[in-house]
Amino acid sequence: MKRKLESRFFRLFTGEGTALALFLLMYVFMLERIALIEAILFTPLSVFCFFLLEWVLLQGTVYWFLKWKRIAQKKKTELHESQYDWFGRLNKTNLVLLILAAGLWVTQWVFTNSANWWALFLLVFAIGEHINYYHIRLSYQTTAEWKDWKKRGWQRPVLARELSNHKRVKQKH
């Protein structure tokens, strides 16, 4: 069981880290190569939404790395209390940043009559990743996971469940 979890956590953190790095490389590559659409891809709002997406992906990478590191060193997968507190603060910070980005997008759309669809795409992607980590599990990668989803419906992600448990334990003490 330990080996299976260790392998799963390793795949999750390396997958998230790879996505983080590839998105950054693609964005930089586009910056150098595609001067034509620079006005769309590299507006301040687009860059803000891109880095917001990267920030949320980094949180997932760090979370799965910490889980992998814990199980590789010990038989437990629980994080330290301070780490749960940190992820709880990140959850709240993400919500503020996502609301700010959405407000900026709406403001830009209303007052300039121009919709920055690239920024909106990045914002929706960032919102989806935030939801996937902190609220409702949205990603299902294996056939077994899809079958489980069909049977049980939407699940809470591991991080969300652990944060809830941590909060409950803290309130008891």
Side-chain angles (χ1 to χ4, degrees):
M1 179 70 163
K2 180 184 179 236
R3 285 264 184 235
K4 189 176 180 180
L5 276 175
E6 188 175 348
S7 174
R8 182 169 185 246
F9 293 157
F10 183 81
R11 281 192 322 273
L12 286 166
F13 103 76
T14 56
E16 294 293 329
T18 300
L20 178 78
L22 286 177
F23 290 159
L24 184 59
L25 288 172
M26 286 186 336
Y27 213 72
V28 169
F29 177 78
M30 286 189 289
L31 177 64
E32 288 183 3
R33 305 278 189 263
I34 309 174
L36 223 93
I37 55 176
E38 189 172 332
I40 298 167
L41 295 178
F42 303 104
T43 66
L45 182 57
S46 293
V47 172
F48 178 64
C49 291
F50 174 74
F51 282 108
L52 185 53
L53 170 61
E54 290 283 285
W55 175 240
V56 176
L57 286 170
L58 177 63
Q59 292 167 38
T61 303
V62 169
Y63 173 71
W64 291 116
F65 172 77
L66 291 172
K67 296 286 281 184
W68 170 75
K69 187 176 169 188
R70 290 283 292 173
I71 201 159
Q73 292 174 345
K74 300 176 182 178
K75 293 185 193 268
K76 293 187 203 177
T77 63
E78 293 84 22
L79 302 180
H80 296 289
E81 186 174 324
S82 62
Q83 292 168 327
Y84 286 124
D85 291 340
W86 184 68
F87 280 108
R89 285 190 300 276
L90 288 174
N91 180 19
K92 292 173 186 168
T93 303
N94 289 348
L95 290 172
V96 170
L97 293 172
L98 291 166
I99 291 168
L100 175 65
L104 291 172
W105 190 88
V106 168
T107 301
Q108 181 184 46
W109 185 42
V110 168
F111 290 109
T112 66
N113 263 351
S114 67
N116 186 334
W117 299 111
W118 178 244
L120 181 63
F121 169 76
L122 293 169
L123 176 59
V124 168
F125 197 172
I127 290 169
E129 287 295 327
H130 174 79
I131 289 169
N132 189 48
Y133 294 135
Y134 293 99
H135 303 286
I136 300 168
R137 183 175 176 204
L138 300 175
S139 65
Y140 299 87
Q141 299 164 351
T142 65
T143 307
E145 289 176 342
W146 278 106
K147 286 179 183 177
D148 187 52
W149 174 78
K150 286 179 183 178
K151 188 168 91 175
R152 295 176 19 182
W154 297 107
Q155 303 288 312
R156 291 185 74 203
V158 176
L159 177 56
R161 287 192 311 253
E162 289 182 354
L163 287 173
S164 286
N165 292 340
H166 174 70
K167 189 176 180 181
R168 236 185 329 250
V169 168
K170 261 183 112 169
Q171 288 175 346
K172 285 182 182 180
H173 295 270

